[in-house]
Amino acid sequence: MAPRRTKSSGPVPPSRTLVIDNGAYTMKAGFSSPTASSTASVIPNCMARDREKHVYVGSQLEKCRDFGDIVFRRPVEKGYLVNWEAEKEIWDHEFFEDKAPLHCDPRETGLLLTEAPNALPQLQTNCDQIVFEEFGFASYLRCPGPMLNAYNDIQAMFKAPARDAAQSLLPAEIILLIDSGYSHTTITPLLQGRPVQSAVRRLDVGGKLLTNHLTRLLSLRQYDMRNDTYLVNEIKEACCYVSRDFKADMEATWKGPKGDRREIYETGGGIAKDYVLPDYHKRTKGEVRDHDPDVAGKLKKMQSGKGPEVAEDIVTLRNERFTVPELLFSPQDIGMRQSGIAQLVLESLSEIPFGLWPGFLANIIVVGGNANIEGFLWRLQVEIQALAPTECIVRVVRPADPIVSTWNGGAELAKEVDLLSKMSVTKQEYDEFGAGWVARKFGGDPNWKW
Amino acid sequence: MINFGVREVAISTVPVAPGWAYVPDTGSAASASQPSARKRMRTLPSASQHETTAKQDAKIMRELAALDRENHRDVSIPVPIRHRDNAGRASHGKVTPAVRKILQSQKTFANHLADYEALSAINASQPAQPNPPPPLTSGRATPTTAGPQPPVGTKRSYKKRESAATAPTPLRNVSTVGESSTPVVSKSESSHDTSMTDAPNTLLGTAVPPASHPEDNNPLLISRVPQMPSQEEIEKMLAAPALSYNEARGSLTAEDRRKPAKHFCDVCGYWGRVRCGRCGGRVCALECLALHQEECFTRYGA
């Protein structure tokens, strides 16, 4: 058994902490210390290669002007950090090189790194080894990302009075956190900042699947965009919404039977939108417009008559706008053998004593990029309310910026040096007790005794 | 199929029309009642009453795999090679063998998952494993079986009381005596514990109940709330180890399984009300059917 050590005899905790929420699509990173807080930089967590064979690493991607035919390599796969070769390259570029945007010396910095829940032990061990043996961070805490949201000011999201800043930081008592990101959507009930592990559920629908589905639909119906997923992602972010009345929207976007073209289809019915595609010469950004029924006709005329400089490529989105995000609520539509988010929330709650249901249902927080889809929260609240016991109040909110919410929680936690150092592992401890010890400490092993 | 000389007579009212057929959305319930006949299978392959055929299942699997891809085609983007002089390159000192192995590993998530599954299969076959903690007894008490509790104004307990961090609430009972006004810190001497045991949520329901009222015992007015789990139950629940990747995957609930599957037009995305007689794909109406069949009839082996 490890000898008892008092914290006071240990090394002084590093003065600042690098907080990284290492998502599959973007990495949210920044420094936090009790005295100063920065904001998170949102960095693409990828290496990309454009058609000129130029390779962009991480934040270099913002220099890219031509996203046609661009391909990506992402070190984080299905939400888990798998490929350290690529990730090290990105981290080196962002944090450790001389000219890095967030330069730091790992030997004087603590690291707070998130992972997706239910990670594979091997990947966790790899991560611990790299953090200490390759980078040599002074202290390190690896924890499931959803957990950190409990350190945000949850009450303020529910329009209650904000918490007293003078009080010491306590995690939110009871929240049900839904993290809908690029790879998947996870449901994590949190009690006092600790996840109820047996109730964590995952829906394998995330932003990537939605984008790929939209790509497939557009490629079948309009242009072949299979090599332009970056662009399709922008279309998705600009146009997609979660329908309030799926059947009615479906009727409004139907073209009608043969020979009986419906007027609502021609005018768009308030749903159809035109997305002007960028050509990466004159136009580098796409643009959304309300559907203009004349444009399609005009386009034909222009292509036959005038020069190409007046023509613009337009994709008209009709039912694609709402059938794509609908997959979050009904993945069976594409043949997935999984239930939608609302059902999975109830499945998750079924693992929890009934007495805690009202608390969880009244404090549902949605984070992750998909929380930005228009209409998502409304629909989720309605669907959960329909399934939940009638006496329970269901409240669903999202933080002001759902993408960096997890990071913000981590930054809050990193300001509490005592709390953080109790949870983290120092380099010294790693060297002394080894990787297995660290894994057990972070794994919350129930038989773990000091 | 041997059917002992019995010749089947067409009993269904489904018209055997060439090319397409309306299909009632009856869900899977009707599928079992229809006997499958090879003859009819040939003329109406798609209208076989099964929900999905093996071929359609394979197609769905293929499409789901495609939706999971990062890039449309296979690409490999190597880490850019830089000059030897280490210009601007971060150096982290000596690379240990373990780290080199991790950095050079080209395993994908699927590889790691397969490794994990194989490993846990081996572990499961060996009985000499420490027993995992007993499964949670999720006390799913129905509201009517709520245990003994003060009937006075119990409805209050699910409302938020005060947002101040140190207000006593059912889960975080900061005792008013003041001995642990900051529970996080108070625990630090007693144990350097596992990562997250911070606030000692001791007793439950110590909040002062509101004043009594003569109508409190009126059976029509009593609101029943489910009983809160005890402190031990909560601790046990929080101490449970993480589920494995596969265990955490959300299932298809029984309720959703009963619902009839939604079908969409393969061409325009509207409801798929018409089935192509050749491949079983769904389309919305004749116009889309014509478009669909252009492709369907030219495709090899459809």
Side-chain angles (χ1 to χ4, degrees), chain B residues 45-112:
Chain B
S46 55
S48 76
Q49 305 291 307
H50 295 284
E51 209 35 44
T52 48
T53 62
K55 199 194 278 177
Q56 283 167 333
D57 276 344
K59 188 171 166 233
I60 288 172
M61 293 301 288
R62 220 169 34 238
E63 278 169 10
L64 287 180
L67 289 180
D68 205 38
R69 292 177 64 100
E70 194 62 57
N71 298 301
H72 171 56
R73 49 208 157 85
D74 281 317
V75 285
S76 73
I77 304 176
V79 170
I81 304 158
R82 301 191 210 181
H83 299 296
R84 270 289 171 78
D85 58 352
N86 239 356
R89 190 79 145 140
S91 80
H92 304 286
K94 222 172 78 183
V95 176
T96 62
V99 167
R100 189 175 305 123
K101 194 176 144 211
I102 295 169
L103 288 178
Q104 286 173 350
S105 160
Q106 292 300 325
K107 276 188 182 176
T108 62
F109 183 75
N111 299 142
H112 281 289

Side-chain angles (χ1 to χ4, degrees), chain A residues 293-363:
Chain A
D294 302 330
V295 168
K298 260 190 234 160
L299 192 63
K300 271 194 196 118
K301 258 179 251 159
M302 276 190 277
Q303 277 165 348
S304 54
K306 294 172 196 166
E309 68 276 2
V310 281
E312 29 182 42
D313 281 334
I314 286 175
V315 176
T316 305
L317 294 118
R318 295 173 195 274
N319 58 29
E320 297 86 0
R321 284 191 67 206
F322 56 89
T323 50
V324 169
E326 185 72 13
L327 294 182
L328 288 162
F329 295 93
S330 125
Q332 307 96 312
D333 287 359
I334 50 165
M336 283 183 86
R337 307 285 294 161
Q338 275 194 301
S339 289
I341 297 189
Q343 287 277 1
L344 290 185
V345 165
L346 268 287
E347 190 186 323
S348 163
L349 285 180
S350 71
E351 299 284 327
I352 289 171
F354 197 71
L356 295 173
W357 284 34
F360 280 122
L361 286 169
N363 294 285

Side-chain angles (χ1 to χ4, degrees), chain A residues 16 70 87 104 111 114 161 202 297 391 400 404 419 427:
Chain A
R16 59 177 187 169
I70 197 162
E87 188 66 86
C104 68
L111 176 67
T114 67
R202 184 185 67 249
E391 300 85 16
V404 297
L419 186 55
K427 173 107 170 67

